[in-house]
């Protein structure tokens, strides 16, 4: 039986443990570095990314998490977990936060806005349908969700979603104050990537119990 760790510092780790149990996979809550030993793969769940980073620092987890990612074992980050796995994150709170890295992308921490701007939309997932069977679409639920704005050449885009009407344009600047690009004009169409994979790392902008973005898919990266 595969043994999948779930980072259990804060957020929706209970829901992921329950989902693993339903598909016959042993889930292990991870709060300390030594609990990563012997795991086949790891899920970093959604939650409040700043709080999770502070707790990870308190337990000295970042070196062990980076070592786990660097060893090539499958790692799936959802929402806050996606932020953790990104090589670069913007839109952070004052002082920023530490990242694990491993997924060659730039993530905007709260691209879709506040709680009142939460939404659901139909996502096209033809690559998943081809590999896993089932419908080529699934329902996506976005609550204070991040978005992936830019990716490296080795990153596979598995799904994206339309930017909701009325979403404010976001301009990204460098430390010197020079405009690099506007998030609305980075791609030819106003869509934002929500599901990407690079090597052993996979990231989704939002998780939800009804999503087809399930542990069954991602522990087999």
């Amino acid at each position: 039986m595969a043994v999948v760790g779930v980072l259990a510092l804060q957020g929706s780790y209970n829901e992921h443990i329950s989902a693993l149990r339903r598909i016959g996979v042993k889930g292990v809550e991870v709060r300390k570095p030594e609990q990563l030993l012997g795991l086949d793969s790891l899920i970093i769940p959604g939650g409040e990314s700043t709080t999770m980073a502070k707790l990870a620092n308190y337990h000295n987890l970042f070196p062990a998490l980076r070592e786990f990612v660097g060893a090539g074992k499958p790692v799936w980050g959802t929402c806050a977990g996606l932020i953790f796995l990104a090589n670069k994150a913007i839109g952070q709170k004052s002082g920023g936060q530490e990242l694990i890295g491993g997924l060659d992308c730039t993530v905007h921490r709260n691209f879709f806005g506040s709680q009142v701007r939460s939404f659901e939309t139909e996502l096209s997932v033809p690559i998943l349908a081809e590999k896993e069977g089932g419908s080529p679409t699934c329902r996506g639920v976005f609550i204070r969700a991040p978005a992936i704005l830019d990716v490296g050449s080795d990153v596979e885009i598995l799904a994206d979603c339309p930017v909701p009407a009325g979403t404010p344009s976001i301009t990204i600047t460098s430390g010197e104050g020079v405009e690099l690009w506007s998030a609305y004009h980075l791609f030819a169409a106003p869509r934002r990537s929500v599901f990407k994979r690079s090597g052993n790392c996979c990231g989704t902008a939002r998780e939800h119990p009804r999503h087809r973005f399930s542990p069954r898919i991602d522990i087999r990266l």
Side-chain angles (χ1 to χ4, degrees):
M1 178 185 292
V3 181
V4 180
V6 180
L7 192 64
L9 300 174
Q10 187 266 347
S12 59
Y13 58 89
N14 279 327
E15 288 81 357
H16 283 283
I17 292 289
S18 296
L20 290 168
R21 187 180 300 119
R22 286 197 300 272
I23 63 172
V25 174
K26 182 179 179 180
V28 176
E29 295 182 7
V30 174
R31 295 183 177 88
K32 298 179 181 180
E34 58 267 27
Q35 292 171 326
L36 290 166
L37 300 175
L39 298 180
D40 297 300
S41 54
L42 177 68
I43 296 172
I44 305 175
E48 211 295 313
S49 61
T50 304
T51 300
M52 291 171 65
K54 289 180 178 179
L55 290 169
N57 266 318
Y58 178 81
H59 293 289
N60 195 33
L61 265 165
F62 275 107
L65 289 168
R66 293 192 186 102
E67 183 178 351
F68 192 93
V69 170
K73 293 185 178 182
V75 183
W76 175 32
T78 63
C79 199
L82 165 63
I83 298 170
F84 265 45
L85 288 177
N87 284 352
K88 181 180 179 182
I90 59 176
Q92 300 186 61
K93 294 181 178 179
S94 178
Q97 68 182 65
E98 194 168 353
L99 304 175
I100 298 168
L103 188 61
D104 188 10
C105 67
T106 298
V107 170
H108 190 288
R109 182 177 174 273
N110 191 23
F111 178 83
F112 291 103
S114 65
Q115 191 89 359
V116 296
R117 298 192 67 85
S118 302
F119 67 99
E120 297 187 27
T121 189
E122 203 73 16
L123 299 176
S124 176
V125 288
I127 296 175
L128 294 185
E130 180 182 343
K131 294 180 179 180
E132 301 290 331
S135 171
T137 64
C138 72
R139 196 70 176 165
V141 182
F142 295 83
I143 305 170
R144 297 185 64 213
I148 303 167
L149 304 183
D150 194 15
V151 299
S153 59
D154 65 336
V155 178
E156 180 183 15
I157 302 171
L158 301 178
D160 61 7
C161 78
V163 175
T167 300
S169 181
I170 297 173
T171 299
I172 310 305
T173 59
S174 71
E176 292 76 28
V178 178
E179 180 176 321
L180 299 180
W181 33 260
S182 169
Y184 249 57
H185 304 294
L186 181 60
F187 297 101
R191 302 176 70 85
R192 281 297 158 262
S193 301
V194 298
F195 191 0
K196 301 210 174 189
R197 178 166 55 193
S198 175
N200 60 307
C201 294
C202 181
T204 55
R206 195 64 198 171
E207 90 271 78
H208 191 272
R210 295 193 298 272
H211 277 191
R212 281 187 56 235
F213 300 159
S214 70
R216 182 182 298 276
I217 295 169
D218 295 286
I219 61 175
R220 298 203 306 237
L221 285 175

